[in-house]
Amino acid sequence: MSTGYLYEPLPDIQAGRRLHLNENTAGCSPAVLFAISRLTAEDISLYPAYERATDRCAAALGVAADAVLLTNGLDEGILTMALAWLPRGGTSEAIVVEPAYGMFGPSARLAGASVVSTTPPPGLGFDLDAVRAAITPATRLVFLASPNNPTGAVVPADGIRQLAASMPPGGAVFVDEAYADFEGHSVIGDVAGTPNLVVGRTFAKAYGLAGMRIGCLVAQPAVIRQLRGAIAPFSVNVFAAAALEAALADRGYVEWYVSQVRASRELLYGACARLGLPFWRSAANFVLVRVGDAPAVRAALGARGIHVRDRSAAPGCAGCIRITAGTVDDTKACVTALEEVVCAGRR
Ligand SMILES: Cc1ncc(COP(=O)(O)O)c(C=O)c1O
């Protein structure tokens, strides 16, 4: 039953370790706090200008500034893409490559499109043929994520190129790269040669700015102009713009955090192997694990102060929870709790 929300809100968890939303569990760089503390009363009284933050973001991503649109989190970028690209009138289709991030379908529906969901292949990887088979003359948009959420699987760049080439006239491919910072796979380099490719990024994950709400879309300048037609003029606030500049400048912090995440993923793989739990190797800051009774395991971990996400309702993910790989300290606590819960369940 619909609750009236675009996206079902999750319980507000304050105590314990938050390993359910793939946030940065170490917090943002101290340089971000310093940059925010330097904002003046006048900065706050004026509508935000974020050309400089856009320039810095474009430079960090290796593209020209007119190929970037900053957004109020990547969720706004996804919605902007849907509103800008999907014609009104209910005759267009948007393909959502499942299992998928939860904002794709609702955003496409809100824009008036019909959503076509692909059936995940057995290993939950990317099935180019299945996505191509779902394309019809009415297809305007394909939404996919690489690395994907909730699997952590990277979609091969070649598959994305072939998909973009297979689209009917007016059709575009949206690649959500929310987690690209953790292993560096990206198709941003293809944007200059692919007019119907749009890439989304967020600074909520590796950069630890989830509370700031800052992300961006990367596309050819003509596409960026079209996307601007579907976004409010000052959707990125002064705090977020200042935070982004400072976060991008502190490379050392991001590199440190990425190394924590990689070590944490290995700890989680090791625990799953010892416990005999199937898991998916991930290029992101989370690991999908098949635990069996996912709601019960989620609740038992929650009772121990370890909050993970039950993803068992996602297509192909029956029995699965998703665990954020944050700092090694958080992950060690999670592994201890997981061992207790799984072993208690087997007694
Ligand atoms: C694949 C994917 N895209 C986008 C987002 C949202 O990003 P933001 O917090 O920048 O809106 C998330 C957050 O979990 C995500 O998993």
Side-chain angles (χ1 to χ4, degrees), residues 21 73-75 78 101 145 149 176 178-179 202 204-205 213-214:
L21 289 178
L74 180 49
D75 281 346
I78 293 165
Y101 176 54
N149 175 6
D176 178 325
Y179 301 97
T202 179
K205 309 297 177 181
R213 313 306 299 127
I214 181 80

Side-chain angles (χ1 to χ4, degrees), residues 17-23 150 264-265 268-269 271-272 277 279 282 284-291 297 301 306-311 320-326 330-331 334-335 338:
R17 301 192 196 238
R18 293 169 56 98
L19 306 183
H20 63 311
L21 289 178
N22 305 333
E23 295 155 329
S264 284
R265 283 192 320 234
L268 288 170
Y269 299 158
C272 292
L277 301 174
F279 64 93
S282 166
N285 65 338
F286 54 81
V287 177
L288 186 71
V289 184
R290 185 158 275 146
V291 291
V297 171
L301 289 173
I306 304 292
H307 303 290
V308 302
R309 187 88 187 268
D310 172 5
R311 291 309 315 257
C320 290
I321 58 170
R322 190 195 64 200
I323 306 174
T324 299
D330 283 326
T331 307
C334 174
V335 165
L338 188 65

Side-chain angles (χ1 to χ4, degrees), residues 77-106:
I78 293 165
L79 188 56
T80 300
M81 184 71 208
L83 293 172
W85 213 263
L86 296 167
R88 301 289 157 277
T91 54
S92 63
E93 291 171 4
I95 297 174
V96 172
V97 181
E98 296 284 359
Y101 176 54
M103 275 294 285
F104 297 157

